Coordinates of all heavy atoms in Angstrom, one line a residue:
D41 N 14.8 3.5 10.1 CA 14.2 4.0 11.4 C 14.7 3.3 12.7 O 14.4 3.8 13.7 CB 12.7 3.9 11.3 CG 12.2 2.5 11.2 OD1 13.0 1.6 10.7 OD2 11.1 2.2 11.5
R165 N 3.1 -0.8 5.4 CA 1.9 -1.4 4.9 C 2.0 -1.7 3.4 O 1.6 -2.9 2.9 CB 0.7 -0.5 5.1 CG 0.2 -0.4 6.6 CD -1.1 0.4 6.6 NE -2.2 -0.5 6.2 CZ -2.9 -1.3 7.0 NH1 -2.6 -1.3 8.3 NH2 -4.0 -2.0 6.6
L444 N -5.1 27.2 3.4 CA -4.5 26.7 4.6 C -3.0 26.8 4.6 O -2.3 27.1 5.5 CB -4.9 25.3 4.9 CG -4.6 24.7 6.2 CD1 -5.2 25.5 7.3 CD2 -5.0 23.3 6.3

Side-chain angles (χ1 to χ4, degrees):
D41 61 338
R165 287 187 75 89
L444 188 62

